[in-house]
Amino acid sequence: MLPIERYAYCNSLRGMHPGEKFLFAVASMTTCLALNSLTVSGIVLLLMAGVTVRKGRIPLYFYIKLLSIPLFFFMAGTITIAINVIHSSDQVLWSWQWANLRFGITVESLLACAKLFLRSMATVSCLYFLSLTTPLIEIISILRKLKIPELFLELMSLIYRYLFILLEMAEKIYTSQSARQGYTCIKNSYRSMGLLASSLLMRSHQRSLDIYTSLEARGYNGTIKVLEQRYQLSRRNLLLIAGTELFLISVHYLNGGNL
């Protein structure tokens, strides 16, 4: 079992209604995207991190490790926004000349870069909160109640489960190759990685056929039905969620809608 899956089932917010957690994550993410505010994005990022680590009892080092995965992608994507072709020297923080063009960073471009970066990190933190505190089965149950097409939900569930199968097989093959000194040098490493990929492709295909056969033997008709745990909605939590979203909107307009 992957750590994300384990924490989804073993966290302090496990007893909370999944609909409330789904509403909190989606509402905060929507507010963050709609307002496009530097302050609101920072608050959402800190709020989601605090709730996930403090309330959900998710280890801080693991949460930081997860956040570091998209961090470099966002940095590489947003730095191109900060650097523009400069036509005027007004509010230029740093610039350089190349051929007949002058590139540089202005206050406006740096602010746009910071907004996009923080907004991206805040939305990812909302998704991390949901995935680390709510099992996939409960998320799919909520989406089903929202009338999401059944085909999409079945594909989502099967692909998610196949990821664990692929990772398990890849880990076993890698361990076997390492025991036979398959990664002692660069040449052996390339050869072992190629063999791992080809073996993983064949085995995963055969495993998927076996799983589908087992599903059909159990009466599979295109819908995977599982037992769902019943939860009680909390009026207090709903009021807290509504109050949080109103607070974020108030902060945005109190700042004049600029930051």
Side-chain angles (χ1 to χ4, degrees), residues 232-252:
Q232 187 68 32
L233 281 171
S234 171
R235 184 177 298 178
R236 175 177 174 272
N237 290 338
L238 293 175
L239 289 174
L240 283 174
I241 294 171
T244 301
E245 305 312 317
L246 288 175
F247 170 73
L248 294 174
I249 296 173
S250 300
V251 168
H252 174 69

Side-chain angles (χ1 to χ4, degrees), residues 127-145:
L127 296 177
Y128 278 163
F129 164 77
L130 185 63
S131 60
L132 288 171
T133 59
T134 312
L136 180 71
I137 294 175
E138 296 180 351
I139 296 176
I140 291 177
S141 176
I142 297 169
L143 294 175
R144 182 173 285 114
K145 292 175 182 177

Side-chain angles (χ1 to χ4, degrees), residues 39-51:
T39 306
V40 171
S41 299
I43 293 174
V44 170
L45 177 60
L46 294 176
L47 177 64
M48 287 297 170
V51 173

Side-chain angles (χ1 to χ4, degrees), residues 124-182:
V124 167
S125 68
C126 294
L127 296 177
Y128 278 163
F129 164 77
L130 185 63
S131 60
L132 288 171
T133 59
T134 312
L136 180 71
I137 294 175
E138 296 180 351
I139 296 176
I140 291 177
S141 176
I142 297 169
L143 294 175
R144 182 173 285 114
K145 292 175 182 177
L146 294 175
K147 305 301 180 181
I148 301 297
E150 195 66 34
L151 177 62
F152 175 79
L153 298 179
E154 295 303 320
L155 286 174
M156 179 179 173
S157 178
L158 290 173
I159 291 172
Y160 183 77
R161 295 305 172 191
Y162 279 137
L163 286 177
F164 291 97
I165 297 173
L166 286 174
L167 289 174
E168 181 183 0
M169 287 192 294
E171 184 179 1
K172 289 180 179 179
I173 296 172
Y174 178 80
T175 302
S176 177
Q177 289 177 332
S178 299
R180 292 172 174 80
Q181 299 183 350

